[in-house]
Amino acid sequence: DTFPLRTFSSEDKSSAMAAFSNLLGGVGYFYGESLETNQKSQIQKIPPSELLSAVPSRPFFPRGFLWDEGFHQLLVSQWDLTISVDILTSWFGQMSRDGWIAREQILGEEARSKVPSKFQPQNREFANPPTLFLPLLKMAARLNNKGLSENESEVVSS
């Protein structure tokens, strides 16, 4: 009942449930240093950080993708608001003092082992559209329309 699928066939509903289950199964915790290219085009290590993120495949893509996460959280927030807020909070924790979030969060040696070396350092010249605002706007609309339970309202408000 979380997602209105009444008008879809049983096969379509099964596909939707499998896709959503895979999305939830792709949520992982990542920790480690990341690499960034500075203004002089030198690669520097960024201190270790942690990230909770839904990824397409933890074994092959053990890193968070900023662009994807906003779309993932549109669905996850509908299913479990607390998990979604935890993930979004984790992503906003990656933000630098000047408001930049790296497009890919390649944290630690294990994650870097799956990414070609030329793509590992993140460059501040490149950014993604601010998709993290999509689930935030949806949560705010639900809060304003009294579409949240008392517990969910506390989670969003905190």
Side-chain angles (χ1 to χ4, degrees):
D1 291 331
T2 301
F3 302 103
L5 301 175
R6 290 175 207 80
T7 60
F8 293 91
S9 71
S10 294
E11 187 177 317
D12 290 341
K13 289 178 186 178
S14 292
S15 293
M17 287 189 285
F20 189 65
S21 294
N22 284 331
L23 171 66
L24 293 175
V27 173
Y29 172 83
F30 306 96
Y31 178 84
E33 296 173 327
S34 59
L35 301 176
E36 185 178 304
T37 304
N38 65 20
Q39 294 172 339
K40 297 177 183 177
S41 297
Q42 298 167 326
I43 297 172
Q44 61 187 29
K45 280 191 174 182
I46 304 303
S49 63
E50 58 186 359
L51 180 71
L52 187 61
S53 183
V55 300
S57 169
R58 286 190 313 234
F60 297 104
F61 299 101
R63 59 193 183 274
F65 295 90
L66 178 59
W67 167 267
D68 297 10
E69 201 64 56
F71 296 111
H72 294 160
Q73 295 316 307
L74 285 172
L75 293 171
V76 175
S77 67
Q78 190 73 26
W79 178 73
D80 189 309
L81 191 66
T82 301
I83 291 173
S84 186
V85 168
D86 287 345
I87 291 171
L88 290 167
T89 301
S90 179
W91 269 96
F92 284 116
Q94 298 298 318
M95 188 180 297
S96 67
R97 285 186 216 133
D98 61 359
W100 180 75
I101 301 174
R103 296 169 48 188
E104 292 184 35
Q105 294 294 321
I106 308 168
L107 305 177
E109 291 298 323
E110 183 179 355
R112 281 196 289 281
S113 73
K114 301 290 186 181
V115 181
S117 59
K118 70 179 183 177
F119 298 117
Q120 291 176 13
Q122 298 296 293
N123 188 324
R124 289 175 172 267
E125 299 288 317
F126 306 121
N128 278 151
T131 62
L132 295 183
F133 286 111
L134 296 173
L136 291 177
L137 291 170
K138 183 177 179 183
M139 289 176 199
R142 285 176 63 196
L143 183 62
N144 288 338
N145 294 328
K146 309 274 190 258
L148 298 176
S149 69
E150 186 175 325
N151 183 47
E152 289 175 325
S153 294
E154 288 175 23
V155 169
V156 171
S157 299
S158 62

